[in-house]
Amino acid sequence: LLVQAYPQAHPGGIIQSQEGFVLEVLHITKSNPTRNDDQAMWVCEDNGMVYLVGFINITRDFQTARGRVEAWLNGVELKSHINIDGHPSGCAIFSSHLVIPFTNITLTGLLADLKAKLMISKLDLSNYTIRDLEWVQGNPSSAITDGEYLYVGGIEIRPLEIIARVDKFDRDFNRVVVFRPKVEPGYAIQLGGLGLEPTKGYLWIVGAKIDLSSLALRWFISIVDPRDMSSVKNLTLDVEGYASSIAFDDEGNAYVVGLTRLQTGFVGSAVVKLSSDGSILKVARFNDTITVIRDVAYTQGYLVAVGEEYGGYVRSTIYVLDRDLNMLVKRHLDEKAYDSYA
């Protein structure tokens, strides 16, 4: 989704809430780099340049699908692009470079060798380097920056052990310190998204706490002081499922979104609001339809979330909520698509 000026506006692109918040979709543009299924997953932006990161050649075999990054300026695709030998997991603009964590997968029979890596590219995509993160078996899941440091989160798989970790890098891409959330025996942490709280500057980690005996999942949050990567607080929420993304308002309140299991038995979504010290303020579950909310942002006093609504067809959907988690708008982005995913 490119919200940029372009000669041809997308018809019917006004999304307006009950209280007057307006989001206008100025243009929808599509990329089809291969004849097989391709899927855009993340965007990063720098001075009007939009970087689109995702997968190509999914149809053949998702395990052998590869990543790709494209650059767009004012709605026009640049000629430069990079195909990534692995599965990307986000992007960040850091130290005047585009940084993409990814997992290189080598299959040997039934075994898979997972190597966590960073692609560090010039902003015009003209040149890039690959950095091995040197995890034993690695699967990075997200990256975020505060401008001075880069934080890359994921899981490291060791013999009989799954370890969540966040690596902190300086502007020369030297590893400064590693943080590993502590968890009691019999449990593991699956790391989802990262966020930086604006008032205290703490790094928030969201994901799931997994009971290894029953494989039950609960939302998990770890609050970290990024100065020395020391633990401030760990929270296991009474929400079954997996937290995937987090956003903050100007007062430091956190809004966490992810998957949960509904009373009907279907998988649905929830949004949890927490204070800056990690106290739970409100939990909202969406039970009316099968809804999957994947990502969230905060702007102008509102939450803007994206995901899918299931029912006959899969519809890429945008949701606008107020700070009390009341749903103000639910709007499908492309009614003409057979199935569409956010």
Side-chain angles (χ1 to χ4, degrees):
L1 173 64
L2 304 181
V3 186
Q4 293 282 346
Y6 202 69
Q8 182 180 0
H10 180 68
I14 300 293
I15 299 175
Q16 185 165 353
S17 78
Q18 299 168 354
E19 300 179 12
F21 173 78
V22 174
L23 177 67
E24 182 178 1
V25 180
L26 296 180
H27 189 75
I28 293 179
T29 185
K30 299 178 181 180
S31 172
N32 188 27
T34 75
R35 294 183 179 181
N36 294 311
D37 287 343
D38 309 305
Q39 186 175 11
M41 295 288 291
W42 303 274
V43 290
C44 280
E45 187 273 338
D46 181 72
N47 291 324
M49 187 85 77
V50 175
Y51 300 94
L52 190 66
V53 181
F55 295 96
I56 57 174
N57 289 321
I58 299 174
T59 302
R60 292 187 300 176
D61 180 358
F62 190 76
Q63 291 297 326
T64 58
R66 289 296 179 260
R68 181 182 174 96
V69 55
E70 299 176 352
W72 297 70
L73 181 62
N74 296 326
V76 179
E77 182 182 3
L78 302 184
K79 293 182 179 180
S80 298
H81 70 271
I82 299 173
N83 288 339
I84 303 169
D85 186 20
H87 288 194
S89 52
C91 58
I93 306 295
F94 177 66
S95 190
S96 300
H97 287 80
L98 173 69
V99 183
I100 299 175
F102 71 97
T103 305
N104 178 260
I105 304 174
T106 303
L107 299 176
T108 305
L110 297 177
L111 300 177
D113 184 48
L114 309 177
K115 293 298 183 185
K117 297 178 180 289
L118 288 182
M119 190 199 80
I120 304 169
S121 170
K122 289 186 175 181
L123 292 177
D124 62 1
L125 305 186
S126 62
N127 192 20
Y128 67 92
T129 59
I130 302 296
R131 172 84 172 270
D132 191 338
L133 294 182
E134 300 175 348
W135 300 1
V136 176
Q137 292 278 304
N139 185 23
S141 60
S142 55
I144 195 172
T145 177
D146 58 11
E148 292 297 321
Y149 295 96
L150 174 73
Y151 306 90
V152 178
I155 59 171
E156 182 180 12
I157 304 170
R158 299 189 176 192
L160 303 178
E161 192 175 20
I162 300 174
I163 304 170
R165 62 183 287 163
V166 179
D167 291 16
K168 178 180 178 179
F169 296 91
D170 64 19
R171 295 181 65 85
D172 294 321
F173 296 97
N174 298 312
R175 184 184 286 108
V176 177
V177 66
V178 178
F179 172 78
R180 298 177 178 89
K182 292 184 178 180
V183 62
E184 56 266 37
Y187 291 86
I189 302 301
Q190 174 67 49
L191 194 148
L194 302 174
L196 287 164
E197 190 274 317
T199 62
K200 298 182 175 67
Y202 287 161
L203 176 71
W204 286 49
I205 302 167
V206 302
K209 183 178 179 179
I210 307 171
D211 186 331
L212 296 178
S213 60
S214 65
L215 299 183
L217 279 69
R218 296 283 178 185
W219 285 26
F220 176 82
I221 297 173
S222 183
I223 304 175
V224 180
D225 187 337
R227 291 172 295 183
D228 58 1
M229 297 300 282
S230 60
S231 177
V232 176
K233 180 183 291 187
N234 288 335
L235 303 169
T236 303
L237 307 188
D238 189 20
V239 180
E240 183 180 356
Y242 176 79
S244 59
S245 182
I246 185 171
F248 297 92
D249 62 23
D250 298 332
E251 299 173 1
N253 296 312
Y255 302 88
V256 182
V257 303
L259 299 181
T260 187
R261 186 166 295 279
L262 308 177
Q263 293 180 350
T264 58
F266 290 107
V267 172
S269 292
V271 181
V272 177
K273 179 178 181 179
L274 304 98
S275 65
S276 60
D277 64 0
S279 301
I280 297 177
L281 301 178
K282 190 171 183 179
V283 178
R285 290 180 170 87
F286 302 105
N287 303 326
D288 53 341
T289 59
I290 301 177
T291 300
V292 174
I293 296 180
R294 300 187 182 277
D295 206 353
V296 64
Y298 175 83
T299 179
Q300 303 177 42
Y302 294 88
L303 297 175
V304 180
V306 294
E308 295 100 42
E309 189 175 61
Y310 291 74
Y313 296 97
V314 183
R315 296 300 189 202
S316 177
T317 308
I318 194 165
Y319 310 86
V320 180
L321 299 86
D322 63 21
R323 299 206 305 175
D324 292 325
L325 308 188
N326 298 307
M327 182 77 75
L328 303 178
V329 169
K330 180 174 65 176
R331 166 75 179 268
H332 297 158
L333 283 178
D334 192 351
E335 295 284 2
K336 296 179 180 180
Y338 180 79
D339 283 323
S340 57
Y341 299 81

